[in-house]
Amino acid sequence: MAEIIDGKKVAADIRSEVKREAEDFLEHNGIRPCLAVIMAGNDPASAIYVRNKQKACAAAGIESRSVLLDGDVSTETVLLEVEKLNRDAEVHGILVQLPLPRQVDAEKVIRAIDPAKDVDGFSPVNQGEMFRGHALLEPCTPKGCIELMKRYGIALKGARAVVVGRSNLVGKPLAVMLTREDATVSLCHSKTGDLSAYLANADIVVAAVGKPGIIRGEMLKPGCCVIDVGINRLEDGKIVGDVEFESAAKVAGFITPVPGGVGPMTIAMLLKNTMAAARSRYA
Ligand code: NDP
């Protein structure tokens, strides 16, 4: 049976580390790190995410502000709010909760965020810097996956890694990060012919697709490490990942559960990025 990678525990450790850093920062600079979140509309899932981020900030000694905009807001209004936060010296991190309402040009909004405050690591500047190996702020979810594996002592150097899903938010940046860690990476997607052929040889499998059960135990190499990024709500309300947990846990050496694996790490990494953004301002 695989060892379960406890994302809640690792995330709690990281949050405590950030809290100590934030206290130290306050003591030495008289400044509390501050994260501002922009949310437009009243999508219930987004509202929960924003509340969780605010709670996590408060627990880590990070100030949080929210800018709540109507669902029929225009791109120009969102851009104005971003500009205000860009100029506000008391704000160190800016996060725009996605998805934005349909009429808002999300790409334009993301591009408008000051890269030094882009704690989601989505801006073209930070994505480019990440590619070149110099980014201060990198996307939280893939960063959380790498951190989880490192803290569990998973060997990345020389490992054969398969990342399933090639979004700009998760799959692609994760492939870049794993490559930087000296893993040899295959980046699979919906047009990959025979996914099983890739998985059969993989020491590390990361699933970031959004389809429950797309990866099953019989597809995996015995002893591999499985990181399940997927979050899927079934008809009965149950939350599951992309990996069929029962069968995969029988074959893998390590596996993340859903919930309680990658999810908590995303918020922990957001706090870490906010701390880094604040620190870099006064370095
Ligand atoms: P996207 O929908 O942007 O990307 C999904 C990717 O999966 C695409 O690259 C797509 O390929 C690929 N894909 C779709 N079908 C298949 C298939 N049959 N075989 C192989 N690949 C396939 O999703 P995200 O990257 O934003 O999110 C992925 C999952 O991770 C979702 O469940 C999301 O909820 C979850 N998530 C979890 C987070 C967390 O904190 N735990 C944070 C962010 C996301 P193609 O490019 O060819 O279309």
Side-chain angles (χ1 to χ4, degrees), residues 183-226:
T184 303
V185 184
S186 300
L187 184 54
C188 298
H189 44 77
S190 67
K191 312 292 184 293
T192 299
D194 185 1
L195 184 59
S196 298
Y198 288 89
L199 296 175
N201 291 314
D203 305 306
I204 294 168
V205 173
V206 183
V209 177
K211 290 193 175 157
I214 192 164
I215 293 172
R216 301 177 305 282
E218 74 264 20
M219 301 160 93
L220 299 169
K221 177 177 165 186
C224 70
C225 170
V226 178

Side-chain angles (χ1 to χ4, degrees), residues 25 92 116-117 136-137 273-283:
F25 190 73
H92 307 104
K117 297 188 178 188
L136 169 70
L137 302 169
N273 274 354
T274 305
M275 193 62 243
R279 215 175 254 300
S280 77
R281 176 88 64 82
Y282 303 98

